[in-house]
Amino acid sequence: MLKNEKDIIESIQKDEWMMSLLKAVKSADLRDGWICAGFVRSKIWDTLHGFNERTPLPDIDVIYFDDKNIGEEEEKEIENNLIVMYLGIPWSVKNEARMHLRNSVEPYSSSCDAVGKFPETATALGVKLDSRNKVILLAPHGVEDVINLTVKPTPYFEADKERLAVYENRVRNKNWQLIWKQLKIFRVEI
């Protein structure tokens, strides 16, 4: 059972598929690069629900932070390189140094800053490998919510009615509780 960050890290390190994808991203040598969101969250929820098979992911979110080159072309080149390395993996690569333009918010200062401003605390997670191929977990809001199967907005989304509406639409459209029955979804009145 997963009870803390250490348990999550050990679970990922034992997962050959996840480790192979983490090594692929590490080989791309991205500045402040992470695999984040559903890649981590779904592993945790699958484990806590006792699933023997991995829940399919619509994409593998890779983020990095390069404020010297905010053109989308670089993202696509990195994405294509990863696709060549791992056919069949739905890579999605984004430079968080430019995502504020797409999201109409203040610029992010780092990948960690961007992850901290994801919509849900349970999704505001990232992983990467250190120089010895050990997993590093990024959890700006901690892991309590994801471990307790609780879905609620991050403080950044909770602080603004428009962002709260985005959160509410996401949890309604994602409909995660159809897969992970034990989830507790925090709903907001807007």
Side-chain angles (χ1 to χ4, degrees):
M1 205 42 87
L2 304 177
K3 297 179 184 162
N4 53 42
E5 287 188 24
K6 182 177 176 266
D7 292 346
I8 293 168
I9 289 169
E10 287 176 5
S11 175
I12 292 170
Q13 286 180 172
K14 291 176 184 174
D15 187 318
E16 290 180 27
W17 180 78
M18 291 183 86
M19 289 299 289
S20 68
L21 297 188
L22 284 164
K23 287 175 184 170
V25 170
K26 181 182 176 184
S27 75
D29 199 28
L30 303 174
R31 182 173 175 226
D32 199 11
W34 301 83
I35 303 181
C36 57
F39 181 77
V40 185
R41 181 206 61 231
S42 295
K43 169 69 172 178
I44 296 166
W45 287 352
D46 284 353
T47 301
L48 292 172
H49 280 78
F51 294 173
N52 293 322
E53 293 193 26
R54 180 181 323 281
T55 299
L57 295 168
D59 56 22
I60 305 293
D61 293 302
V62 176
I63 64 168
Y64 66 102
F65 193 89
D66 182 359
D67 56 358
K68 305 292 186 253
N69 184 355
I70 61 169
E72 190 175 358
E73 303 79 30
E74 183 181 39
E75 292 174 7
K76 292 302 169 197
E77 183 179 329
I78 295 165
E79 197 171 276
N80 288 334
N81 290 340
L82 288 169
I83 289 168
V84 168
M85 289 173 66
Y86 275 87
L87 292 174
I89 299 296
W91 297 103
S92 174
V93 178
K94 299 288 183 265
N95 180 359
E96 293 299 331
R98 79 169 190 85
M99 294 311 292
H100 69 283
L101 300 169
R102 181 174 152 196
N103 298 333
S104 300
V105 296
E106 291 296 312
Y108 303 121
S109 61
S110 66
S111 289
C112 182
D113 181 39
V115 170
K117 293 174 179 166
F118 281 7
E120 311 88 23
T121 56
T123 300
L125 301 167
V127 287
K128 69 177 179 179
L129 298 179
D130 69 12
S131 61
R132 298 172 316 197
N133 286 334
K134 299 294 181 194
V135 173
I136 298 172
L137 176 66
L138 171 64
H141 303 291
V143 297
E144 291 78 20
D145 288 342
V146 71
I147 287 174
N148 290 318
L149 302 168
T150 301
V151 178
K152 67 181 186 183
T154 60
Y156 182 73
F157 270 72
E158 200 167 26
D160 180 271
K161 283 189 178 198
E162 286 180 20
R163 290 191 296 261
L164 269 177
V166 169
Y167 161 83
E168 192 63 33
N169 284 333
R170 269 181 56 87
V171 296
R172 188 180 312 100
N173 293 334
K174 295 283 186 180
N175 212 4
W176 289 313
Q177 62 274 37
L178 284 179
I179 298 167
W180 298 286
K181 307 283 187 210
Q182 299 171 45
L183 291 181
K184 299 171 282 294
I185 309 289
F186 178 81
R187 299 287 185 184
V188 293
E189 293 295 323
I190 303 170

